[in-house]
Amino acid sequence: MLNEVVPSAFDFGSLALALFAGAIRIGTPFLFVSLGECLTEKAGRVNLGLEGILVCGAMTGYAVSLQTGSPWIGVLGAGISGLVLGAFHGLVCSLRGVNDIAFGIALMVFGTGLAFYLGTPYIQPQAPTLPAFALGDWSTNSQLRNALEINVLFLVGVVLAGLLHWGMASTRWGLVLRLVGDHAETARALGYRLIPVRVTATAAGGFLAAVGGAYLSLYYPGSWNEGLSSGQGLMAVALVIFARWRPWRCLFAALLFGAAGALGPALQSLGITSGYYLFNAAPYVLTLVIMVITCRPDRTISGAPGELSLTR
Amino acid sequence: MRIFLLRLTAKMLPALPTLCAIAGALLMFVVFLALQGKPALEACQLIYVGAFGSGFAWENTLQRAAPLMLTALCVAIPARTGLIIIGGEGAVALGGLACAVIPMMLPAAFPATPALLLMATAALVAGGAWIALAGWLRQYRGVNETISSLLLAYIALALFNHMVEGPLRHPESLNKPSTPPLPEEYLIGSLPGLDVHWGLFWGVLACIAMYVLVRHGVFGFSMSVVGGNVRAARLVGLPVNRIVLMACLLGGGAAGLAGMMEVAAIHGSANSALLAGYGYSGILVAFAARHNPLAIIACALVIGGIESSGSLLQRRLDLPGATTLVLQGLLFINLLAWESLTGWLGVWRLRLLETTRNPNRAVHA
């Protein structure tokens, strides 16, 4: 069946271009969520609730943008909603006996439910969306121009990845964060308090994840509906493992995942429709393969924060 | 009398976090609705009416509770060995698919009982193998099982959609792609005197069987040892990997069976209606039951009831369909947050018992 629809001369150039465009377009939310998860995990906690925060951020961003007419206030509103939910995760997980992974699942259910509930009136109307830089105006190829239409948030994300990389490596604040995540006993012995650091990191991580959600609803695909997220918040956890907890590598991992996510739609636009669902599962297969390659049962992964329950 | 009351309180203390959680969730839910000027108390009442208010509501609730019991086992059984598996939805999909495929391969007029047995076996194997794969990846490759099970679930859903809309699609299912309908005689009927299918019976039976296994079986005990302390389990020579895989196989098999019941009793063929989120709701049920298979039966009734009351809330109060999802989220959050009381319970219990021994000299320490 597959052979019938493949054109005789398969257009690899178009496919490569579509994958490149997709890497940036679909990879941007991955970038923000993975940076958020990276920050959280560096402090020694896992927040699976980023999935719920992302959906909540998408709804909030869209709603605020619609009400105020400014997509940027929408992004800020989304970030604040994520900050609140992230701080909530951080605070509750500071209680004794609360498992951060399990609570993340609960937050995922709650955040999604809240977003679906409050977002019901926003499914129809069209909110103002985020602007993009048209970097491809010099070209006459419409596909290339389309691919080089790069959203501002992507550039913000790139800067942020570099900033976080530098901040974690060479600032006092970054060192405290890493110490708390790597060896809580030492941090305590040096007089640092664990809970405020962890709550701050989780809240900041929530902020970033929600901004990633706002990108989904305000740029690509660019509307709010209940099927908006396809598990980006959860895949971010795997992505961070792949990036070995380095913000800079999160950027490349996000681009890779974006390209994998673009495979299905790209092939569809080239006329290959038969394996649509299977190609759309490419990011999940890729995540799984990457995790199988990077993880080992007998030792923890290099670069993993020592206090992380995920990799013990 | 006072001593009896104190002893009773000491006995009931372990239920305290759950009670606090239910009260906290309801309170938050009421405040959430009241803040928007919605009739909060009426909504709570309607949830009760929609879940358990009439014979029809009960049947609806039981219908939903049946698969939830099985999908909750998919979380609870691996959890006994310390794994958090959240990919039950994938096992449901594959179980349903396997059940729909078997009749296509059987000769015409194959007797119903062995056919149903074959369908159930196929569903058990398909679901079990999928979850066991997550367990295997954890034990032998060190991949975190929470993430891998969810990724596997996404992959399973993609496979399911691909098969249902592609190679296995029935040519007559135009608007709603489905596999060919099951032959009439292979459908699972209703329980006698009830409008609820036999899946409920099998769900309850599976929960009871797992309870007996977990509480009274040697295998159940070794699962608890592995879950409690892996190093201790290895020291006493337990085959840890095999036990974990077996637990995943059992749990995944249960979820696969849930998919088979849904297909053979309700939908009549495998189609996207099967993916109604039973696998995800099962996570909440299992956590609410604290991974106790017997408590799962009760918790599945409550969650099934909440879910089935959604349409009533929508019709009567014009609330969004996600209202019940918010309540479930609040319930989940509260259940885990109040868990932090568990550390204090032992202390309080000791104090209460101390008071019963020296009733005249209450201990203040």
Side-chain angles (χ1 to χ4, degrees), chain A residues 216-268:
Chain A
L216 286 176
S217 64
L218 289 177
Y219 184 68
Y220 186 79
S223 67
W224 159 250
N225 63 65
E226 298 191 350
L228 196 59
S229 161
S230 46
Q232 283 98 333
L234 286 154
M235 285 157 73
V237 179
L239 207 147
V240 171
I241 296 176
F242 176 51
R244 304 271 168 107
W245 295 269
R246 302 262 175 81
W248 195 237
R249 288 197 200 165
C250 282
L251 173 63
F252 298 106
L255 289 176
L256 183 66
F257 276 62
L263 188 64
L267 285 175
Q268 201 184 22

Side-chain angles (χ1 to χ4, degrees), chain A residues 34-296:
Chain A
S34 63
L35 286 179
E37 185 69 45
C38 183
L39 201 59
T40 310
E41 290 188 13
K42 273 287 182 190
R45 289 251 179 86
V46 183
N47 186 1
L48 288 181
L50 285 192
E51 173 67 20
I53 294 178
L54 176 111
V55 177
C56 219
M59 190 280 298
T60 315
Y62 200 73
V64 173
S65 168
L66 189 71
Q67 304 283 348
T68 62
S70 159
W72 291 107
I73 300 181
V75 171
L76 188 70
I80 290 170
S81 76
L83 195 75
V84 171
L85 284 176
F88 183 50
H89 181 279
L91 285 172
V92 174
C93 290
S94 304
L95 294 171
R96 206 168 51 164
V98 179
N99 178 327
D100 54 350
I101 293 186
F103 192 79
I105 301 169
L107 191 63
M108 182 159 76
V109 175
F110 177 66
T112 316
L114 198 64
F116 288 2
Y117 179 96
L118 296 174
T120 313
Y122 300 110
I123 292 181
Q124 272 302 326
Q126 179 59 48
T129 51
L130 289 166
F133 288 131
L135 298 179
D137 271 353
W138 47 271
S139 167
T140 49
N141 184 340
S142 67
Q143 218 190 346
L144 189 63
R145 274 162 65 164
N146 198 13
L148 284 177
E149 216 169 87
I150 287 172
N151 187 272
V152 185
L153 268 187
F154 173 71
L155 302 174
V156 174
V158 173
V159 173
L160 203 65
L163 216 62
L164 277 176
H165 200 89
W166 168 78
M168 277 183 195
S170 8
T171 64
R172 182 190 183 87
W173 196 87
L175 272 163
V176 172
L177 179 77
R178 278 163 48 205
L179 185 61
V180 165
D182 254 337
H183 209 273
E185 286 303 314
T186 316
R188 213 177 293 157
L190 287 174
Y192 293 110
R193 289 170 61 206
L194 304 180
I195 290 176
V197 175
R198 287 189 170 153
V199 173
T200 314
T202 315
F207 186 97
L208 292 180
V211 170
Y215 174 93
L216 286 176
S217 64
L218 289 177
Y219 184 68
Y220 186 79
S223 67
W224 159 250
N225 63 65
E226 298 191 350
L228 196 59
S229 161
S230 46
Q232 283 98 333
L234 286 154
M235 285 157 73
V237 179
L239 207 147
V240 171
I241 296 176
F242 176 51
R244 304 271 168 107
W245 295 269
R246 302 262 175 81
W248 195 237
R249 288 197 200 165
C250 282
L251 173 63
F252 298 106
L255 289 176
L256 183 66
F257 276 62
L263 188 64
L267 285 175
Q268 201 184 22
S269 70
L270 291 175
I272 299 174
T273 50
S274 61
Y276 180 65
Y277 286 104
L278 294 185
F279 290 123
N280 272 354
Y284 311 122
V285 178
L286 179 73
T287 315
L288 205 59
V289 168
I290 281 174
M291 290 201 40
V292 169
I293 293 172
T294 43
C295 296
R296 285 285 173 279

Side-chain angles (χ1 to χ4, degrees), chain B residues 222-249:
Chain B
S222 45
M223 279 203 297
S224 306
V225 176
V226 173
N229 189 336
V230 183
R231 292 179 75 186
R234 283 192 210 278
L235 273 176
V236 296
L238 284 175
V240 172
N241 289 346
R242 222 186 315 152
I243 290 171
V244 169
L245 281 188
M246 195 62 206
C248 289
L249 209 58

Side-chain angles (χ1 to χ4, degrees), chain A residues 96 102 117 234 237 277 295 297, chain B residues 36 140-141 147 150 165 340:
Chain A
R96 206 168 51 164
Y117 179 96
L234 286 154
V237 179
Y277 286 104
C295 296
Chain B
Q36 307 163 62
Y140 293 92
R141 306 297 312 179
I147 299 163
L150 197 83
E165 297 196 13
S340 60

Side-chain angles (χ1 to χ4, degrees), chain B residues 223-291:
Chain B
M223 279 203 297
S224 306
V225 176
V226 173
N229 189 336
V230 183
R231 292 179 75 186
R234 283 192 210 278
L235 273 176
V236 296
L238 284 175
V240 172
N241 289 346
R242 222 186 315 152
I243 290 171
V244 169
L245 281 188
M246 195 62 206
C248 289
L249 209 58
L250 282 174
L257 205 60
M260 179 242 175
M261 294 293 167
E262 287 297 293
V263 166
I266 294 182
H267 305 301
S269 68
N271 57 51
S272 58
L274 173 62
L275 313 174
Y278 285 122
Y280 299 123
S281 304
I283 305 170
L284 171 56
V285 173
F287 273 92
R290 302 225 147 70
H291 310 308

